[in-house]
Amino acid sequence: MTAKRYFTVQEANALVPELESLLRELQGMKREIQRRHQQLQEAKLQFAGTVSVSSDAFFAEEAELEFLIFSANSLLGQIHGTGVEIKDIDTGLCDFYALREGVEVLLCWRMGEPEIRYWHGLYDGFMGRRMIDF
């Protein structure tokens, strides 16, 4: 497990362009995983009870799906390794640990925002966001 990293606003903002790119890639992977999983489940239902279908009939599709999941988890690990916490992949909501007047807080950023402008307490969440004043 990676030690908690505290960011300044400037350090967190420096990560935003790369983070946005990685999140877009992760979002695409998530959509592809969901699509392939749905197709696989539908195919299995279609052939359920068919004696002629062997247990290995869906092996290639299952292996591809597993590889996609592995790749997505690897990308998640890469992002977490920077110290960033992903709160929601779909909206690209991320938090960065920071210190405000000696108190642990979270800098809050969501995809589409040009820079980090908000912070909130550890238990306030997105609805508790406040403009950065430090």
Side-chain angles (χ1 to χ4, degrees):
M1 181 157 185
T2 308
K4 189 182 296 183
R5 175 181 175 190
Y6 292 101
F7 292 86
T8 65
V9 175
Q10 295 77 19
E11 290 169 338
N13 274 323
L15 282 177
V16 165
E18 179 185 3
L19 182 58
E20 186 148 14
S21 174
L22 293 172
L23 281 169
R24 288 195 191 288
E25 185 178 349
L26 187 59
Q27 288 171 338
M29 288 177 151
K30 182 180 177 190
R31 285 189 300 273
E32 183 66 11
I33 288 167
Q34 290 170 328
R35 184 185 69 76
R36 287 183 178 221
H37 181 265
Q38 181 66 30
Q39 285 178 336
L40 183 58
Q41 295 310 308
E42 289 171 2
K44 285 182 175 183
L45 279 175
Q46 182 180 357
F47 291 103
T50 303
V51 178
S52 62
V53 176
S54 74
S55 61
D56 293 335
F58 301 106
F59 178 78
E61 290 87 357
E62 289 171 340
E64 288 176 19
L65 185 57
E66 285 297 318
F67 180 76
L68 268 173
I69 292 168
F70 175 81
S71 297
N73 283 330
S74 177
L75 189 54
L76 269 172
Q78 181 182 347
I79 294 169
H80 285 144
T82 66
V84 175
E85 286 197 4
I86 300 174
K87 298 299 183 179
D88 186 310
I89 293 171
D90 296 325
T91 63
L93 184 61
C94 298
D95 285 337
F96 303 73
Y97 281 95
L99 294 172
R100 179 180 181 268
E101 299 172 2
V103 176
E104 193 173 66
V105 297
L106 295 165
L107 302 175
C108 185
W109 174 78
R110 182 170 54 179
M111 272 182 63
E113 295 176 345
E115 63 183 11
I116 299 166
R117 298 181 186 153
Y118 303 96
W119 70 276
H120 58 78
L122 296 183
Y123 306 105
D124 296 337
F126 184 81
M127 297 305 289
R129 291 191 341 160
R130 293 173 244 171
M131 290 294 289
I132 290 177
D133 57 358
F134 57 98

